[in-house]
Amino acid sequence: MMNTATLRILIVDDHAIVREGLVRILEGTGRGWQVAEATSGFQALEWLRRNDAQLAIVDLSMPGMSGLDLIARLRKEFA
């Protein structure tokens, strides 16, 4: 039996090729997941303030705000 629930995923990485590769992999599963992208921790925070995601795939090493800093801010703001 297939689960019809849609998983909303946010990919956060400063490298376009990494984001594009992950999007292709996730879309290739055929599960109909909704995938959004952010190029920085700051952009991810802004996106998440207006949208909902159940899963975030985050690059730990990004300029400006590292992935670890982003995770700490997400926990503080959304937990």
Side-chain angles (χ1 to χ4, degrees):
M1 176 180 241
M2 183 176 248
N3 185 354
T4 59
T6 300
L7 182 64
R8 289 177 306 279
I9 303 167
L10 176 61
I11 299 171
V12 187
D13 197 301
D14 56 317
H15 296 98
I17 193 141
V18 173
R19 291 190 317 273
E20 291 168 10
L22 288 171
V23 168
R24 285 182 186 215
I25 290 168
L26 293 169
E27 288 177 347
T29 66
R31 296 187 185 252
W33 293 332
Q34 297 175 354
V35 182
E37 302 175 48
T39 61
S40 70
F42 297 107
Q43 188 181 47
L45 271 176
E46 290 303 314
W47 188 90
L48 287 165
R49 288 177 180 141
R50 295 184 314 273
N51 302 280
D52 184 32
Q54 294 147 320
L55 174 67
I57 300 172
V58 179
D59 179 6
L60 295 181
S61 177
M62 292 184 291
M65 180 189 306
S66 75
L68 292 175
D69 292 337
L70 171 61
I71 292 167
R73 288 183 68 172
L74 291 174
R75 288 182 55 131
K76 185 176 183 179
E77 190 166 329
F78 295 101

